[in-house]
Amino acid sequence: MLEFSLILTKLLPLWAILGIILVIILLHIKQTQRAKVNLEIWLNNNQFRLISIERRYLRRGPYMWKSSKAQVIFRIYLTNNEDEEKIAWVKCGSYFKGAAFSDDLDVIFD
């Protein structure tokens, strides 16, 4: 029994690291899904159709110095009801809460 508890205490740091990695992955998935849902709501409310979407990690456009790592930045290509093509930058989430816990959405058209 003593050997088993010794093995558990040696593996505890490994389990803690794996747990932290799992939480980070789940938060990343949650923020991406919530950002896409909020973007879809915005598109429907403003009568736009999405052509393509790119999530930006490094090249964050006009949000380079105005966003936190918790916010999700998209580069989107869309059309309106008159079939005019537009390109825009979208920032999802608030500065402190990020996209995982906030519904804020900011759009800048080119």
Side-chain angles (χ1 to χ4, degrees):
M1 192 68 172
L2 185 61
E3 291 176 19
F4 182 70
S5 64
L6 219 89
I7 291 172
L8 280 180
T9 55
K10 286 183 180 181
L11 290 178
L12 189 61
L14 177 66
W15 286 109
I17 291 170
L18 289 175
I20 291 169
I21 291 171
L22 180 64
V23 167
I24 291 170
I25 290 170
L26 292 175
L27 277 174
H28 180 77
I29 291 169
K30 180 180 179 179
Q31 78 177 173
T32 302
Q33 288 176 342
R34 187 166 181 162
K36 286 184 178 181
V37 167
N38 289 334
L39 179 60
E40 285 294 326
I41 291 170
W42 182 86
L43 289 169
N44 290 334
N45 289 342
N46 294 290
Q47 300 176 348
F48 285 111
R49 287 187 315 270
L50 188 64
I51 297 173
S52 70
I53 184 171
E54 302 169 9
R55 181 168 179 178
R56 295 295 180 97
Y57 293 96
L58 298 176
R59 295 180 10 218
R60 299 166 76 89
Y63 299 115
M64 184 65 152
W65 306 110
K66 302 177 195 173
S67 62
S68 69
K69 295 295 181 189
Q71 292 173 301
V72 176
I73 308 296
F74 291 118
R75 181 77 164 146
I76 61 171
Y77 299 83
L78 42 93
T79 60
N80 59 11
N81 287 340
E82 291 84 34
D83 287 331
E84 296 173 337
E85 292 187 8
K86 298 187 180 222
I87 303 170
W89 291 92
V90 179
K91 176 176 68 172
C92 303
S94 68
Y95 192 84
F96 293 107
K97 291 182 181 178
F101 303 105
S102 173
D103 291 334
D104 294 350
L105 195 88
D106 185 36
V107 180
I108 297 178
F109 287 97
D110 286 349

